[in-house]
Amino acid sequence: MPTRDLKIPAQRHPEKQRRPDAPQPKKPDWIRVKAPVSEGYKKTRDIMRENKLVTVCEEAGCPNVGECWSQGHATMMIMGEVCTRACTFCNIATGKPPEALDVFEPGRVADAVKKLGLKHVVITSVDRDDVEDGGAEHFAQTIRAVRRQSPDTTIEILTPDFIRCDPAVLEVVVAARPDVFNHNLETVPGLYPEVRPGARYFHSLRLLQRVKELDPTMFTKSGIMVGLGEDKQAVTQVMEDMRAADIDFLTIGQYLQPTPKHHKVDRFVTPEEFATYEKAAYNKGFLMVSATPLTRSSYHAGEDFAQLRAARQAKLGTA
């Protein structure tokens, strides 16, 4: 079987090729970003290449890659670059991963974190439903490897839902003691069959609730996109559900359509609406909220973590 070329959309997303094209509307002025050209961007890119690492910044086509990489911030994506799910919003390549998990990858991630001098690192992954524990032990090994080489670096993980695994695998990840445990709900429950067909809304919610039960001191985080076809009432209900699960940090960003074969953009939410969501979320008790058109899970993650920690200290009266 010939090797897939993941730069070709039809080979990157074979399951989406039968979908009719959805027109990609012109982006409003508040969405536009500059092309990445800085020396800092190039240095970060070179370190990623030298360590043979994949980043979600590139694979998912994040609009903030220029800004983040110029500051030496990158989100490491472990467990390969092919995902076993086929979410209709996502630009990460889909299919059966061609390789087993790389036992040397945790060490390479740790090396890159040290070379970049990161004070805060975000580690995410593709879904690996082909692996018995969903990659839980691989996450734990990566966290421990970073801790050994960069003990002062705070670690944020953005995990899959582990929906096809023994529930005990979550304990393996939590026991490795990341500073922030993030798992994105991505959208409102009514859109799951279309947007996130391999996942279940209440399973993802329960996953985050269990993290808090296993370690009440661990910060939990989750995010959704807007502009997929949801209404404001549904977004408000998601906020309520997240607070019931004791989630600390909420991110809300504008969905951007990667290709005509992906889920269509229903509308561009205005900055004013995002400000309304942010205010509502803080009123519901979140310690930290990031709600802007360009917000992504890892955007300004280091600065946000510092604010998150300060907010908890203030709430506990230990500041």
Side-chain angles (χ1 to χ4, degrees), residues 13-247:
H13 303 290
E15 81 295 335
K16 292 183 173 72
Q17 296 318 301
R18 294 182 183 177
R19 292 172 60 91
D21 284 2
Q24 294 172 281
K26 183 181 177 183
K27 295 173 186 171
D29 291 341
W30 64 78
I31 292 287
R32 309 252 169 91
V33 292
K34 293 178 181 176
V37 293
S38 72
E39 286 305 311
Y41 169 86
K42 293 171 186 171
K43 180 185 174 187
T44 301
R45 181 192 60 196
D46 291 346
I47 289 173
M48 294 300 129
R49 301 286 185 272
E50 286 165 17
N51 287 273
K52 298 184 175 64
L53 294 174
V54 179
T55 68
V56 75
C57 321
E58 291 180 291
E59 295 301 315
C62 180
N64 304 315
V65 65
E67 179 187 344
C68 293
W69 282 29
S70 68
Q71 298 168 9
H73 300 162
T75 298
M76 319 286 180
M77 192 170 80
I78 59 176
M79 303 198 289
E81 56 185 329
V82 177
C83 185
T84 53
R85 304 285 174 90
C87 299
T88 59
F89 66 85
C90 186
N91 199 35
I92 289 170
T94 54
K96 186 176 186 301
E99 70 285 302
L101 298 183
D102 180 354
V103 295
F104 299 108
E105 184 175 54
R108 293 203 308 276
V109 170
D111 285 342
V113 170
K114 189 172 183 179
K115 285 177 185 173
L116 287 165
L118 298 185
K119 293 178 180 176
H120 185 83
V121 62
V122 182
I123 301 165
T124 188
S125 77
V126 291
D127 274 280
R128 289 295 299 256
D129 294 317
D130 59 317
V131 177
E132 188 175 358
D133 73 347
E137 179 59 34
H138 200 75
F139 259 103
Q141 288 175 2
T142 305
I143 294 165
R144 290 193 291 265
V146 172
R147 286 264 188 258
R148 279 193 297 270
Q149 290 215 44
S150 304
D152 295 328
T153 299
T154 49
I155 300 172
E156 179 173 327
I157 57 169
L158 173 54
T159 75
D161 58 12
F162 304 116
I163 197 169
R164 299 178 190 180
C165 310
D166 187 305
V169 305
L170 184 62
E171 298 170 26
V172 173
V173 185
V174 174
R177 300 298 309 275
D179 296 280
V180 182
F181 193 113
N182 185 2
H183 172 65
N184 285 331
L185 296 186
E186 306 292 10
T187 187
V188 303
L191 290 176
Y192 260 57
E194 162 62 18
V195 173
R196 229 183 145 204
R200 300 291 178 269
Y201 176 78
F202 286 105
H203 172 87
S204 286
L205 199 62
R206 176 65 184 140
L207 181 90
L208 288 155
Q209 187 178 39
R210 280 195 64 228
V211 170
K212 263 294 201 295
E213 291 169 0
L214 291 166
D215 185 348
T217 68
M218 192 169 290
F219 289 107
T220 50
K221 178 177 176 180
S222 189
I224 61 168
M225 298 168 288
V226 288
L228 285 158
E230 73 295 320
D231 60 30
K232 291 180 182 179
Q233 184 178 354
V235 173
T236 301
Q237 185 59 55
V238 170
M239 291 184 196
E240 297 278 3
D241 293 344
M242 285 189 185
R243 287 306 301 133
D246 201 18
I247 293 166

